[in-house]
Each structure stands twice: as structure tokens, then as C-alpha cells.
Amino acid sequence: MSPTRIIIDTDPGVDDALTILLALASPEIQLEALTTVHGNIGIEKTTRNALAVLEFVNADCIPVARGCSLPLVGTPPRSAEAVHGSSGIGKAVLPEPKSQPMDQHAIDYLIERILAEPQEITLFSIGPMTNLALAIRKEPRIVQALKGLVIMGGAIRQGGNVTPLAEFNIHADPHAAYIVFHSGIPITLIPLDATYKCLLTTSDVERLNRIDSPIARFVRDSTAVYMDFYKKYEGFDGCALHDPLTLAAIIAPELLVFEELHVDVDISGGVSLGNTFADFMNVSKKPANMKVALDVNGRGFIELFLERMESLACKI
Ligand code: RIB
Ligand code: CA
């Protein structure tokens, strides 16, 4: 079976960086490009980190398009430096990238690539959805041309991680999420309900570092700040692999438990801004607009992640 061709829209970000590595370590996936967006940190650093991670694994032939620096509405987003460190990749240190992002803006790149090959590209959105929302508004035809969209975002039965009701990617641009949720694109949503069950622990990181490899050291150093944050504020040993879990939709869908649901997002501007909610009782009589992973075999995914990192570590 030929690999699934994907573009990742990303705000690297520790777990974003691990997603890029996992995509490159997975034969089921052909990573076509990265488009960057504001989010965990500002656009300059998310773009720099995207370029640096690709060069780190000799994949700088993969193009990077720089995207939006601000959400559709409101003030600059609150960054997540407490989780991802001021660099955005924790305590990991990667050389300044030699490569540059392409001249074309991420919005125009997404439109051009998706329309050029209808039903060929699956988009993975693992940051705020500002780029995709503006691409939909500028060129609505991408809705029919996209093969699929997998989103890391939202919290359905689970509480939020940035407000009691909202998950970070949605809260960082709730109006963009509203446009995407109502677009008609076939969506697979991977919310906190599933991702918080995928905890990479310190012993997992120690196991990986039995291999003397820059990859193993990158996983250790990039997650160090992340681990400290989770220990201090969430009380558990480990860090949730939010973004990497999206790739399970391709590499191990059997690990995910899906429900077809109508999901919406609150943009009314009050305390529940960015809250994502599912119409479980179908009281709205609206058809399901997405497939939602409400559960996962979390350890099964972590084992798969570690196997793929070990195989990558043996090559790099
Ligand atoms: O809530 C988790 C999401 O927010 C992940 O995409 C992480 O990278 C941060 O952007
Ligand atoms: Ca992210």
C-alpha cells in the first residue's frame, strides 16, 4: 500500500517536533511539507524549529512555508513557553538551520498544493488553525480537494489544559477552529480525552537512551521542561504526546476508539471561549461533522512511538 501523503501545519513545540520525527520514521507516511503557525511560541521560533528539526534528521529537502503570526481575532496568543521552554524545544539544542522557509506564505502554499492534487493530500493540524481557516476563506474549493484533515485539538469529556474548558490549540484561535469545524472537510479529531492517555515517562526516555544516538538525546532533552511542567502542575510522571498521537490515525488506527459526533466550539467570548462540545444526544439534529477519538490504547501508542524512535536512532 502506498504511503499516505501528508502536510503538517505545526507550531513546534516539543510534541510537534516529536511528531515530525515520528512521521519521518513511519513508512506508512510520506511527509510532503511543513507549514508553520504561531502557538506554543512566536512564528519566528516555530519556523526556525521546523527547519532545524528537518535538518537534524537530514530531511531538509522537505519544504517549509511560514504562516500566520496572530490569531484571526484578538491579541497575540498566550505562548506556552512554560511547557516548551523559551526556544520551543525544551532543553534540546539544534544548530541554527542553514535552510530558509520558501517565499510563498503557508496559506497560499496549502491552497496551491491541495488544489494541484485533489484527494491526494491529508493535512495534519497540530497547532492553532489560523492558516487553514484563512486558506478555506480565500479558496473554498480546498474543502472538496483535501483528502482528509486530522486535528490535534479540543477537549470533549475531558477538562481543558489552558482554561478549565478549553484546549490550547483551539483556545489560541477559536474563530479559526469555528471556520474549520463548519467547513465540511472530513475531520478526524484527536482531543485531550485521548492524548492525556499517552504519557511518555522518564523510564521510557531512559529506555530509549540505552541507544547512544542524537535522536535519543533529543527526545530526552526536548521533553525535560515538559516533564518538569507535568510533574509540578499536573502531578504525574511523564508528558502527554498530544501531537504525535494524531499520526496513529494512519500508522495504528486500531489503537484509537472513535465516535461520529457533531462537535462545535464556543466563540461567544465568555468564560467558555474555545470550549469544544459534542452533541451526544443529537438534540440539535445536526449530522456528525467529525470522527472523534474519545479513547485510545495509550501504552500501545507509547510502545509504537518508542519502537519508531529506536529505529530512527539506529539510523541517525
Ligand atoms: O494542547 C496540546 C497542544 O497545544 C499541542 O499541539 C501542543 O503542541 C500545544 O500546541
Ligand atoms: Ca502543537
Side-chain angles (χ1 to χ4, degrees), residues 113-134:
R113 283 301 310 276
I114 294 166
L115 290 187
E117 298 187 85
Q119 294 304 310
E120 285 293 327
I121 303 291
T122 299
L123 181 63
F124 279 71
S125 173
I126 59 174
M129 287 183 261
T130 315
N131 293 334
L132 178 53
L134 288 173

Side-chain angles (χ1 to χ4, degrees), residues 17-47:
L18 298 181
T19 307
I20 296 165
L21 296 184
L22 181 58
L24 293 169
S26 298
E28 306 88 342
I29 288 173
Q30 181 174 314
L31 179 58
E32 302 266 334
L34 299 178
T35 52
T36 60
V37 68
H38 68 89
N40 288 317
I41 45 171
I43 190 68
E44 296 301 336
K45 289 184 181 176
T46 61
T47 305

Side-chain angles (χ1 to χ4, degrees), residues 10-17 19 38-41 80 83-84 125-128 152-154 161-162 166-170 172 192 195-196 226 230 240-244:
T10 178
D11 62 333
V14 171
D15 56 331
D16 303 71
T19 307
H38 68 89
N40 288 317
I41 45 171
V83 180
H84 298 267
S125 173
I126 59 174
M152 190 283 128
N161 63 351
V162 70
E167 177 277 328
F168 179 87
N169 287 337
I170 306 295
L192 296 181
T195 64
Y196 266 120
Y226 213 166
Y230 274 83
L241 295 191
H242 300 295
D243 292 338

Side-chain angles (χ1 to χ4, degrees), residues 268-315:
S268 58
V271 68
S272 64
L273 179 68
N275 178 22
T276 47
F277 49 96
D279 183 1
F280 287 104
M281 304 292 284
N282 196 19
V283 293
S284 68
K285 301 290 180 270
K286 291 177 183 174
N289 59 347
M290 55 183 81
K291 205 166 77 161
V292 184
L294 289 174
D295 203 354
V296 63
N297 170 356
R299 270 317 295 177
F301 176 72
I302 295 297
E303 286 299 327
L304 176 60
F305 174 79
L306 290 169
E307 283 160 25
R308 298 283 165 103
M309 287 302 105
E310 283 165 345
S311 71
L312 190 63
C314 294
K315 290 176 194 157

